[in-house]
Structure formats: structure tokens, C-alpha cells
Amino acid sequence: MLANKNLPNAISSVRIACTAWLLFMEPLSPLFMIIYVITGVTDVLDGAIARRYGTTSEVGARLDSIADILFYTLILIRIFPVLWVTLPKKIWVMVGAVIGVRLIAYLIFAVKNHRFASIHTYLNKVTGLLVFGVVLFIRTPIAVPYCWLVCTVGMLSSLEELIIHLTSDEYDPNRKMLLKRG
């Protein structure tokens, strides 16, 4: 049982190490892409294993959040410049709109509840998966249509979260969709 208890945190630690390694690699090189996929797999595995074995913990949640923040920072530093010159400016306008709606949703929740929170809806999870895939598809012929799909799903998930925050009296971080609680 001890191995199961520490396994999710070890996986999160691998994600942190892989993210640090990516910082020093050529963006979108074959080795970069392999390590990038490993970071995505470890992001899914750590929480899934912790839930499966009942070993979720505050330390594990914080380690996962640190890994997420480091990974998103890496994306901003190493991948965003590639995307900026690759994607049409119209997509960036849509990205700005999605971020704007998302920030409004967060602000409304913060004003109502005096803290920051995000809801783990199905659309938010799909959006995260699709955003992760942008790096995998950016140098393919489907890059632009794929990014439009990501923006569309991202906008739907942002609007869903905004509506939930506007209409809910209670915070439920595990609410899966607008029309269904729990």
C-alpha cells in the first residue's frame, strides 16, 4: 500500500522533471514531442491513480498544481512564440475572446464567493485535452481547422462555466455540466 500511496506524487514529480527538460529542448523537435506526450500522460495518470487507490492528498493536489503551473509556463515561453507566427491572427482574436469570457466567469465567482475557483466540467476537460493537442498538430495540414475547433470548444466551456457561476448558489468543483449537478 505504501507504493500506491506515493505513486501519484512520484508521477507528478516526473511531470515536473519532464517539463524542466522541455525548457532546454528545441520546440517541436522529435524528442521534445516525445517528452511533451509523457508530460500529458503523467498529468492524467497521477490523479487517476490517486483516486483509484484512495490516496488523494493535499500534498498531491499541490504538487499537481505546481506541475500544471510549470507546464503552462513552459508553453508560454517555448510554444507560444511558435504558435504566434504559425496561426492566423483571427484565431488569436478568438483566443482572446475565450480568455475574456473565462476571466469574467472567474471574476463573478470571486465576487460571489471571495475566492478563486474553477469547475471540472466535461467541457473544461475536453478543452484541456484539445489545447494539449495543439502542439501535436501545429505542423500538420489540419493545424488551423484544429485550432478553430479548440477555440470553439473553449468558448463553449467558458460560457458554460460563466452560466454556472451566474446561476448557482453553491460552489461544486466537481459539477460535470450545466444541466446536471454532481
Side-chain angles (χ1 to χ4, degrees), residues 63-129:
L63 195 58
D64 184 61
S65 293
I66 289 167
D68 287 343
I69 290 167
L70 292 173
F71 185 73
Y72 296 138
T73 301
L74 166 92
I75 295 300
L76 284 173
I77 293 169
R78 301 297 285 164
I79 300 298
F80 180 79
V82 174
L83 298 177
W84 183 255
V85 298
T86 304
L87 295 173
K89 300 308 175 218
K90 289 180 181 180
I91 287 180
W92 293 110
V93 171
M94 183 68 164
V95 168
V98 170
I99 291 170
V101 171
R102 181 71 58 165
L103 290 175
I104 290 168
Y106 291 157
L107 180 63
I108 287 170
F109 181 86
V111 168
K112 284 175 69 173
N113 299 285
H114 309 288
R115 66 185 180 108
F116 171 81
S118 179
I119 302 173
H120 299 233
T121 64
Y122 292 130
L123 275 176
N124 279 343
K125 291 177 188 255
V126 169
T127 300
L129 178 64

Side-chain angles (χ1 to χ4, degrees), residues 15-29 31-33 35-36 39 69-81:
R15 183 160 41 121
I16 291 170
C18 285
T19 299
W21 191 11
L22 286 171
L23 188 59
F24 301 101
M25 300 177 73
E26 179 66 31
L28 307 181
S29 68
L31 186 56
F32 182 97
M33 299 301 273
I35 302 302
Y36 179 82
T39 62
I69 290 167
L70 292 173
F71 185 73
Y72 296 138
T73 301
L74 166 92
I75 295 300
L76 284 173
I77 293 169
R78 301 297 285 164
I79 300 298
F80 180 79

Side-chain angles (χ1 to χ4, degrees), residues 11-12 14-15 18 37-47 64:
I11 292 171
S12 293
V14 167
R15 183 160 41 121
C18 285
V37 169
I38 291 170
T39 62
V41 170
T42 57
D43 187 21
V44 172
L45 283 179
D46 59 0
D64 184 61

Side-chain angles (χ1 to χ4, degrees), residues 90-99 101-102 122-124 126-128 130-131 134 143-161:
K90 289 180 181 180
I91 287 180
W92 293 110
V93 171
M94 183 68 164
V95 168
V98 170
I99 291 170
V101 171
R102 181 71 58 165
Y122 292 130
L123 275 176
N124 279 343
V126 169
T127 300
L130 291 173
V131 167
V134 168
V144 172
Y146 181 83
C147 288
W148 280 115
L149 171 67
V150 174
C151 288
T152 302
V153 174
M155 181 58 84
L156 291 172
S157 71
S158 295
L159 289 169
E160 177 183 51
E161 186 154 348

